[in-house]
Amino acid sequence: MKKIITTVSILLMMTAVNAQKYELQHLTDPSGYQYDSVKNDANGVRIYTLKNGLKVYLAKNEDAPRIQTYIPVRTGSNQDPADNTGLAHYLEHMVFKGTSKLGTQDWVKEKALLKQISDLYEQHKSEKDPEKKKALYKKIDEVSQEASKYAIANEYDKAISSLGATGTNAHTWLDETVYKNNIPSNELEKWLKVEKERFSELVLRLFHTELEAVYEEYNRAQDNDGRLVNYELMDALFPKHPNGQQTTIGTSEHLKNPSMEAIHKYFDTYYVPNNMAVVLVGDIDFDKTIKLVDQYFGTFKYKELPKKQLPVEAPMTSVVSRTVKSPSTPRLTMAWRTDSYGTKEARLADMVANILSNNGEAGLIDLNINQQQKALGAYAYASPFKYYGNITMAIVPKEGQSMEDAKKLLLNQIDLIKKGDFPDWMLPAIINDMKVQRLKGWETADGLATTLYNAYIKNVNWEDELNDINEYEKITKADVVKFANDFFKDNYAVVYKEKGVNDKLVRVENPGITPIKLNREAQSPFLKDILNAKVGDIKPQFIDYQTAIKTDKIKDKKISFVDNKYNEVAQVSYVYPMGSDNDKEMSLAVSVLQYLGTSKYTPEQLKGEFYKLGIANSFRTGNDQIIITLTGLESNMKKGVELLNHWIADVKPDQAIYDKTVKTILEGREVAKKDKTRIMAALSNYAKYGKESRFSDVISKENLESIKVADLMSKIKNLNKYPYEVFLYGKDEKSLKNDVKPYIQTASLTAPKAKEYPEPATSGHVYFTNYDMVQTEMSRVAKASNVNTKDFGKINVFNEYFGRGLSSIVFQEIRESKSLAYSAYVSYAPSNLLNHPNYVTTYIGTQANKLPQAVSAMNDLMAELPQIPAQFENAKGSALKQIASNRINRTNIYFNQLALAKLGINYDIRKDTYAEIQSLTLPELTNFYNGQIKPLKYNTAIIGKKENLNMDAINKMGDFKEVTLEEIFGY
């Protein structure tokens, strides 16, 4: 008789994450600042409202002496003027350009020129004659050159990077624009000073070069299938509301005809304190922090917001169909419009989405379509917005399967929910998983801070956000069935993504921007004050792995334990020192295992059993390692370990399922050969390693079809007979050891010898693959010397100074000065294996008619390492602060030492890296560059539409060869 876990027993398993009763409290700190907190909130969040209306969210997280910061503004593309779509997003870019104090050498002179540029743009926007528009743009370019003499590019980024900040970025979406940084905690006041300055006023300097960078982002979006489908889907769902009528990136016409006056007006309207928040989660002192935030942000003036009435959508009463085309594999996406975030309907839609497709892969779509391989892939999810939302289902049909048949498969799952034909244990299991995911997410500063800024954007108070899980728990099966019958009718939007030529692509001329002056060595008085202000140092803490990891032995197996000091989520990992290099069929065996059951459970029941327990399993097969991991509530881990070992030891081979899996694998290979991202990855790998590489060394179709599944599953059944070690992460070391002990046996098998793959020299070859796209992507790769851990400090600073990030030289030159690409970088990547080579990679993504200029600019930059002492010191200081304020914790303790062992290191290598950086000079970095990077020869990978390429320019890069998809993929 099969063992069935009842709903009652499921509920008993959830005691560790039971619902809390949350109540709002109004409190006052010792300095008189009033704040809200919520009783029983384990996160201890405090929410202040300053006199000017600014919301301040504070919470402690002492993982490291760092603070995750977000500054959310309650405005996005939904507030764009109808004749200036994309404005909110473009403004987001411009907020990084500085102010009248930050980013300028002579504000009086620069201001006058910026006014001229603004006036010219107004003329340009209203001018209808194409030739006159070109003449006006040429004049804009000329005046911009003059204005750039007084500008200091990237000074905000220099100020922020000098703090040791990471993750500096921003994003714009429907109703939000969010600015982000992660900073050392001792730099909080300097961060506040910089952010107060940048939000105090808007200066649209270096405008036309940034506009061109945004247009390159628009081009990237045109080449992105996901966006292509989403734009059509949202347009169909929201025929009146800006959710669907105004894309965040904007239209090509509006991007090419901007209004600086409109951007200023938008900033002055929406970037006001009563429409903004400051979110700080990390190593903070509540009382000191709110005083500092008030000191800097409390000076902003409250301003009434405009009363904007958004359109109300009429209920959908019919199916709205759209068709889009691109070179990739066909797929179908369908969606129903829902109510807004935090509403009962939104929760019910989310619950339905989880019944269809969930983290445990135990939903109806997971089991009835994916598990049974009735399509190449399908999924469902709910997206509640501030205004409205949707529940979406998507499917990739198999070869020969019609779109309508695929759609019917999805709709059949909805019909099952309407009939109540899903197990009773599903709802409590979903709630349990939600609680576990909340625990895992909120244990990190970023996870909690993200939830807080989302609550602010959506106007949800913290008490309601915490209570949301309690509202989910009230949902019954009868509620779900009623909702499904009332809600899911022929009232949806469907987008058919067909394979073909996208005739809606917008291709434009290279505008011929004259490179602007960067004035890299100049510094404003404001930046000098930031750089010269002294704060107490954070002392680096280097981990002693021998102390942090407790080790033991069970039989011949090493057992490592790390204490979980944070929550009830435990992890058990089995780490095998062998991978696909040892046995190419092992990754295949792991893939097939996912579709097989045991003598006790069908494959579908097995997925359900794991999901009931709240235990997730993962199998990762690398080149030299297999890692099997269980993650979930520690109280259920014993049953999870038992179930995993039962599955491995008792897996039931099924040749019919295997044969079906082979067909899915082969069809998946054809899908990969139509996908731009995967083609570029394969092409880059080919440029790096040539014909004989791990990537292209795949099991042939003939061999796949001849394999007997019983032989394949014997590899799985024998896993525990090989050497391996066990990693335990939790609170109760003894209990976790007892959980794994019964299944450990002494090794009786040895791993096959690993196959060695060549790592050939890169010698100036250019490999090209044709693909119909707007942009062209180019990656150049060079084999460097073998890894040497004594160079890690130099590599760290080189990447910070020269190659990556907003304040790097490459970013400044390629994007800021010349506006030749949205994305460009140079990266020196050390090998993670001793006695193996490092690689240097350069990347440029741009429209085809800019590629020759972009390549030329990159070559000029790399001819000699630029000598900018101030920028070098900034990069060096930033690298030191990042190391000093970072801490290795949780499961990273074990996996970091595991990675270091591959380099022959048994201690925290950051100690050596830190010391190396401390004494590093620019001449020493230059010597490293001249010896290790400058002499290198590169192979080049290029993907794009061949007819758009300048072949004369490309032939100058090296020996050109157009390679087939079969060559680069190996099939």
Side-chain angles (χ1 to χ4, degrees):
M1 180 177 172
K2 289 186 171 21
K3 179 180 176 185
I4 302 298
I5 301 178
T6 67
T7 302
V8 173
S9 63
I10 286 290
L11 292 169
L12 290 173
M13 291 174 192
M14 298 177 190
T15 54
V17 285
N18 273 346
Q20 292 282 349
K21 185 177 181 181
Y22 299 107
E23 295 178 2
L24 187 65
Q25 302 176 113
H26 304 291
L27 303 170
T28 304
D29 76 5
S31 299
Y33 285 96
Q34 295 181 339
Y35 65 91
D36 291 341
S37 72
V38 177
K39 188 177 180 182
N40 291 323
D41 174 18
N43 309 285
V45 173
R46 292 188 183 186
I47 304 164
Y48 301 79
T49 305
L50 301 186
K51 291 177 182 178
N52 59 8
L54 182 81
K55 290 282 186 185
V56 183
Y57 294 76
L58 303 181
K60 282 181 178 285
N61 181 300
E62 297 177 342
D63 277 2
R66 295 188 69 87
I67 303 169
Q68 180 61 52
T69 80
Y70 286 105
I71 298 179
V73 188
R74 277 184 183 149
T75 190
S77 51
N78 279 354
Q79 284 70 45
D80 283 346
D83 62 344
N84 273 290
T85 59
L87 188 153
H89 173 244
Y90 188 45
L91 169 58
E92 169 223 305
H93 280 243
M94 296 311 298
V95 173
F96 286 81
K97 299 300 181 182
T99 65
S100 60
K101 296 177 183 175
L102 177 67
T104 187
Q105 298 183 86
D106 189 327
W107 173 238
V108 174
K109 292 179 180 177
E110 186 187 15
K111 181 180 180 181
L113 291 165
L114 294 182
K115 179 65 170 70
Q116 284 186 49
I117 295 169
S118 179
D119 292 344
L120 285 166
Y121 265 114
E122 294 307 311
Q123 295 175 47
H124 180 268
K125 184 175 179 65
S126 60
E127 181 58 62
K128 304 302 180 188
D129 185 289
E131 292 307 313
K132 289 181 179 179
K133 284 181 87 77
K134 285 183 181 179
L136 282 167
Y137 192 84
K138 186 176 181 182
K139 183 63 177 174
I140 289 169
D141 187 59
E142 289 173 7
V143 181
S144 296
Q145 294 312 303
E146 188 65 23
S148 73
K149 294 177 182 177
Y150 306 104
I152 307 172
N154 298 94
E155 199 162 58
Y156 168 80
D157 305 310
K158 292 172 186 175
I160 285 296
S161 66
S162 76
L163 310 182
T166 60
T168 301
N169 212 329
H171 77 260
T172 305
W173 199 31
L174 303 176
D175 296 288
E176 67 193 62
T177 309
V178 183
Y179 298 85
K180 28 196 138 176
N181 279 292
N182 187 287
I183 60 169
S185 55
N186 64 334
E187 302 284 1
L188 175 61
E189 184 168 5
K190 287 205 278 186
W191 175 81
L192 284 165
K193 186 175 181 179
V194 173
E195 296 293 44
K196 184 254 182 180
E197 177 59 27
R198 83 152 158 169
F199 287 107
S200 66
E201 63 178 331
L202 179 67
V203 171
L204 299 178
R205 64 168 54 92
L206 308 179
F207 185 84
H208 80 317
T209 54
E210 190 64 30
L211 179 62
E212 194 60 25
V214 172
Y215 201 85
E216 284 298 343
E217 190 174 357
Y218 175 85
N219 284 337
R220 289 167 73 88
Q222 290 195 90
D223 290 333
N224 184 308
D225 270 358
R227 291 199 183 190
L228 183 70
V229 169
N230 188 60
Y231 290 160
E232 288 293 337
L233 192 70
M234 293 289 277
D235 182 73
L237 285 172
F238 304 103
K240 296 179 181 177
H241 196 278
N243 280 356
Q245 297 309 303
Q246 298 185 175
T247 65
T248 298
I249 197 73
T251 67
S252 172
E253 180 65 23
H254 291 165
L255 285 175
K256 286 297 185 182
N257 293 279
S259 166
M260 292 172 73
E261 289 181 6
I263 295 173
H264 273 289
K265 182 180 178 182
Y266 188 102
F267 179 84
D268 293 340
T269 301
Y270 294 107
Y271 279 62
V272 294
N274 44 305
N275 202 42
M276 299 171 66
V278 173
V279 179
L280 302 172
V281 179
D283 184 21
I284 63 171
D285 178 292
F286 285 117
D287 298 342
K288 291 178 181 176
T289 300
I290 190 58
K291 283 182 182 178
L292 284 171
V293 175
D294 193 17
Q295 176 185 334
Y296 287 97
F297 279 75
T299 58
F300 292 148
K301 301 301 181 189
Y302 175 93
K303 188 175 180 181
E304 286 292 336
L305 293 162
K307 303 285 190 232
K308 184 175 181 180
Q309 191 68 38
L310 290 170
V312 176
E313 293 286 3
M316 293 183 71
T317 56
S318 61
V319 176
V320 180
S321 296
R322 300 287 174 84
T323 300
V324 296
K325 296 182 179 181
S326 77
S328 65
T329 293
R331 69 200 67 182
L332 177 140
T333 305
M334 58 196 305
W336 286 257
R337 188 198 307 147
T338 65
D339 205 347
S340 309
Y341 182 87
T343 61
K344 184 175 181 180
E345 182 175 283
R347 280 189 287 271
L348 282 163
D350 188 33
M351 187 65 84
V352 168
N354 276 280
I355 293 169
L356 292 168
S357 184
N358 54 52
N359 287 325
E361 297 180 358
L364 298 178
I365 286 176
D366 300 321
L367 300 181
N368 299 336
I369 299 178
N370 295 335
Q371 184 71 31
Q372 295 181 31
Q373 302 181 72
K374 291 181 178 178
L376 290 182
Y379 56 87
Y381 62 90
S383 297
F385 310 136
K386 184 174 182 177
Y387 304 108
Y388 298 111
N390 62 51
I391 177 171
T392 300
M393 297 194 294
I395 189 166
V396 180
K398 294 176 75 74
E399 185 71 30
Q401 186 178 35
S402 73
M403 291 276 207
E404 291 306 315
D405 285 345
K407 185 171 80 167
K408 193 176 293 183
L409 283 174
L410 293 177
L411 290 173
N412 286 345
Q413 311 316 307
I414 295 290
D415 287 340
L416 291 175
I417 297 177
K418 288 180 177 181
K419 296 172 186 174
D421 195 0
F422 57 93
D424 292 342
W425 56 258
M426 181 67 79
L427 294 191
I430 289 170
I431 299 298
N432 193 40
D433 183 61
M434 287 179 174
K435 292 178 178 179
V436 171
Q437 298 309 318
R438 179 184 271 199
L439 280 173
K440 289 166 65 178
W442 290 358
E443 74 177 2
T444 67
D446 185 46
L448 179 57
T450 299
T451 302
L452 290 172
Y453 89 65
N454 271 314
Y456 173 75
I457 291 296
K458 293 182 172 74
N459 278 319
V460 176
N461 69 53
W462 188 235
E463 177 190 13
D464 289 343
E465 183 67 31
L466 290 169
N467 271 315
D468 195 50
I469 194 71
N470 298 333
E471 295 301 314
Y472 273 98
E473 285 193 291
K474 295 176 184 177
I475 296 173
T476 65
K477 185 171 183 177
D479 293 333
V480 172
V481 172
K482 183 179 186 307
F483 169 75
N485 281 284
D486 293 343
F487 182 81
F488 293 101
K489 301 181 185 299
D490 287 340
N491 56 346
Y492 57 85
V494 58
V495 178
Y496 299 89
K497 208 300 294 177
E498 298 177 351
K499 186 177 185 302
V501 176
N502 182 0
D503 56 6
K504 296 180 182 179
L505 293 178
V506 180
R507 305 181 195 271
V508 298
E509 294 179 14
N510 182 341
I513 290 175
T514 308
I516 59 165
K517 308 242 183 271
L518 288 175
N519 305 311
R520 278 197 297 249
E521 298 190 50
Q523 292 181 342
S524 67
F526 184 91
L527 179 61
K528 288 177 182 176
D529 287 347
I530 293 295
L531 297 176
N532 293 330
K534 301 299 180 188
V535 298
D537 288 338
I538 291 175
K539 299 297 181 188
Q541 288 184 10
F542 303 115
I543 194 165
D544 181 348
Y545 290 112
Q546 282 67 42
T547 303
I549 303 172
K550 297 180 184 177
T551 59
D552 197 358
K553 275 209 164 185
I554 297 178
K555 296 184 179 175
D556 62 340
K557 302 297 186 291
K558 180 182 177 182
I559 312 294
S560 299
F561 174 80
V562 171
D563 185 27
N564 179 357
K565 304 171 184 176
Y566 309 96
N567 56 36
E568 306 301 320
V569 180
Q571 182 170 310
V572 173
S573 292
Y574 299 85
V575 182
Y576 297 81
M578 62 180 190
S580 55
D581 285 359
N582 304 85
D583 184 348
K584 201 190 311 179
E585 292 181 0
M586 188 56 78
S587 59
L588 173 65
V590 166
S591 296
V592 174
L593 175 67
Q594 308 308 310
Y595 297 104
L596 299 176
T598 67
S599 60
K600 191 175 183 181
Y601 300 110
T602 66
E604 294 76 20
Q605 288 172 335
L606 197 57
K607 298 270 188 188
E609 293 300 312
F610 276 114
Y611 196 52
K612 290 175 193 177
L613 292 171
I615 301 288
N617 67 79
S618 74
F619 291 71
R620 287 177 291 161
T621 307
N623 303 331
D624 58 357
Q625 244 174 20
I626 299 169
I627 301 178
I628 303 172
T629 299
L630 296 174
T631 307
L633 295 175
E634 188 162 348
S635 56
N636 291 348
M637 193 54 75
K638 180 178 180 179
K639 292 178 180 176
V641 170
E642 178 185 355
L643 189 60
L644 174 71
N645 280 277
H646 164 70
W647 188 17
I648 289 173
D650 193 44
V651 58
K652 187 177 178 182
D654 186 314
Q655 192 65 38
I657 289 178
Y658 173 76
D659 293 342
K660 188 186 290 187
T661 305
V662 168
K663 289 181 181 177
T664 301
I665 290 169
L666 294 174
E667 286 187 42
R669 290 179 178 181
E670 293 307 308
V671 170
K673 288 160 68 175
K674 298 180 182 75
D675 183 86
K676 174 179 72 71
T677 302
R678 296 194 217 178
I679 294 171
M680 185 57 183
L683 186 62
S684 299
N685 179 82
Y686 192 88
K688 188 174 184 178
Y689 296 117
K691 296 177 181 178
E692 297 180 49
S693 73
R694 291 182 179 89
F695 185 92
S696 58
D697 184 19
V698 298
I699 302 173
S700 69
K701 177 178 182 290
E702 293 72 26
N703 285 347
L704 280 173
E705 292 173 340
S706 66
I707 288 173
K708 299 300 180 188
V709 70
D711 296 338
L712 196 63
M713 286 305 102
S714 68
K715 297 176 187 290
I716 297 294
K717 292 183 176 184
N718 286 331
L719 269 177
N720 286 341
K721 297 178 183 178
Y722 287 99
Y724 63 88
E725 60 181 274
V726 182
F727 167 56
L728 308 173
Y729 176 71
K731 292 183 176 295
D732 190 336
E733 179 185 7
K734 182 178 178 181
S735 177
L736 287 171
K737 282 182 186 174
N738 287 335
D739 292 347
V740 301
K741 187 175 181 179
Y743 310 100
I744 291 175
Q745 53 185 290
T746 303
S748 57
L749 297 175
T750 56
K753 187 175 183 230
K755 179 177 178 178
E756 294 185 16
Y757 291 87
E759 295 167 320
T762 47
S763 51
H765 295 285
V766 179
Y767 301 105
F768 170 76
T769 294
N770 189 49
Y771 195 89
D772 187 11
M773 55 195 285
V774 177
Q775 282 206 318
T776 296
E777 294 185 49
M778 184 193 78
S779 177
R780 307 184 77 186
V781 63
K783 179 184 176 183
S785 59
N786 279 2
V787 65
N788 182 348
T789 58
K790 293 180 180 179
D791 288 334
F792 280 10
K794 290 185 279 290
I795 293 169
N796 189 318
V797 175
F798 169 77
N799 286 334
E800 183 86 19
Y801 170 65
F802 182 76
R804 298 196 74 114
L806 300 180
S807 59
S808 68
I809 290 169
V810 167
F811 182 88
Q812 289 174 6
E813 282 288 341
I814 303 294
R815 177 163 153 173
E816 298 290 291
S817 171
K818 299 179 173 64
S819 199
L820 292 172
Y822 175 76
S823 179
Y825 63 80
V826 174
S827 178
Y828 192 113
S831 172
N832 60 2
L833 289 172
L834 201 61
N835 302 319
H836 285 267
N838 305 324
Y839 285 89
V840 178
T841 303
T842 76
Y843 173 85
I844 297 170
T846 189
Q847 61 190 52
N849 54 21
K850 291 182 182 177
L851 186 63
Q853 293 169 270
V855 171
S856 177
M858 184 73 85
N859 289 342
D860 289 346
L861 275 179
M862 297 192 71
E864 300 289 343
L865 185 69
Q867 302 292 295
I868 310 166
Q871 193 158 335
F872 167 79
E873 291 299 329
N874 199 31
K876 174 181 169 179
S878 178
L880 288 170
K881 288 176 181 179
Q882 288 176 37
I883 294 173
S885 59
N886 276 317
R887 301 290 181 264
I888 297 172
N889 50 35
R890 297 187 173 85
T891 58
N892 289 332
I893 294 172
Y894 171 79
F895 287 106
N896 276 29
Q897 65 87 30
L898 197 66
L900 287 172
K902 295 182 181 182
L903 290 168
I905 302 290
N906 62 1
Y907 62 93
D908 190 347
I909 191 66
R910 296 178 307 147
K911 184 175 183 179
D912 295 350
T913 303
Y914 189 83
E916 182 190 352
I917 294 173
Q918 278 185 310
S919 61
L920 186 65
T921 64
L922 183 53
E924 288 174 332
L925 184 64
T926 304
N927 288 339
F928 172 75
Y929 183 87
N930 290 338
Q932 298 292 324
I933 300 175
K934 185 178 174 181
L936 299 178
K937 289 187 176 181
Y938 292 79
N939 284 346
T940 303
I942 300 176
I943 183 172
K945 193 168 185 178
K946 190 173 183 180
E947 67 187 60
N948 295 335
L949 296 180
N950 182 330
M951 294 308 298
D952 289 338
I954 286 175
N955 283 323
K956 291 176 184 176
M957 296 181 200
D959 297 329
F960 178 84
K961 180 184 179 185
E962 184 169 352
V963 288
T964 65
L965 296 176
E966 288 71 22
E967 284 179 282
I968 61 176
F969 279 100
Y971 49 79

